[in-house]
Amino acid sequence: LVFITGGLIWGVNRLTELSYSFAYKEWLGKSLLILCVVVLFFALAAFRKLKTTVDPMNPDKASKLVTIGIYHITRNPMYLAMLLLLVGFAVKLGNPLNIFSISFFVWYMTQFQIKPEEEALRKNFGEDYIDYCKKVRRWI
C-alpha cells in the first residue's frame, strides 16, 4: 500500500500542474524521512526487546502486548512511519492535491489493517489492550 500510495503521489504530481513551494520545503521533506526512520527504529526496538512478532498479518500470534517506548505515544508507530515517509515524499514533490493520496492511505490502513489488528489484539489481550487503547491514540 505504501508503494501504491507513493505511485499515486507521483502520478498526481506528473498529471497536474499544481505546485507549491516555500523556503524550507526540501528541508521539511528530508526531516520527515529522517523522522520516519527514527520512529520505525524505536518501534522495532520495542518489539525486539519484548521478543514478540512484528508480523502485521498475524497479530493473533503476538505473545506480548507492546506498550513500552514509542508505544506510549502511538499504538501504530510502524504505520505512522509509513505515513511520515509518504507525507515527506508529497511535500518534496509539492502538489497540494496529494492530500487526497495521503488521506486514502490513512483511511485504508485504518479500515483494512489497523481495525482488524485491534480486534485480534483485543481477543488476545482483553482488558489490558482495552485499557491501553484508552490511554494511547491510534495514530498520534
Side-chain angles (χ1 to χ4, degrees), residues 25-44:
K25 184 174 96 167
E26 289 293 321
W27 178 87
L28 179 59
K30 289 176 183 175
S31 296
L32 289 168
L33 176 60
I34 291 167
L35 185 57
C36 160
V37 172
V38 169
V39 168
L40 190 57
F41 172 80
F42 284 112
L44 293 172

Side-chain angles (χ1 to χ4, degrees), residues 38-53:
V38 169
V39 168
L40 190 57
F41 172 80
F42 284 112
L44 293 172
F47 270 82
R48 184 176 177 147
K49 183 175 183 175
L50 295 180
K51 297 180 174 123
T52 190
T53 183

Side-chain angles (χ1 to χ4, degrees), residues 78-118:
M78 291 183 218
Y79 301 137
L80 178 59
M82 293 174 197
L83 177 61
L84 290 167
L85 175 69
L86 292 168
V87 171
F89 183 50
V91 166
K92 181 183 180 330
L93 294 180
N95 190 315
L97 291 177
N98 277 315
I99 190 70
F100 297 109
S101 301
I102 300 298
S103 298
F104 165 76
F105 175 81
V106 171
W107 171 80
Y108 188 93
M109 288 301 291
T110 300
Q111 293 303 314
F112 299 104
Q113 185 64 40
I114 294 172
K115 285 184 177 181
E117 280 183 22
E118 289 176 339

Side-chain angles (χ1 to χ4, degrees), residues 7-19:
L8 283 172
I9 290 168
W10 180 82
V12 165
N13 192 64
R14 297 280 293 168
L15 294 173
T16 64
E17 296 195 21
L18 291 174
S19 183

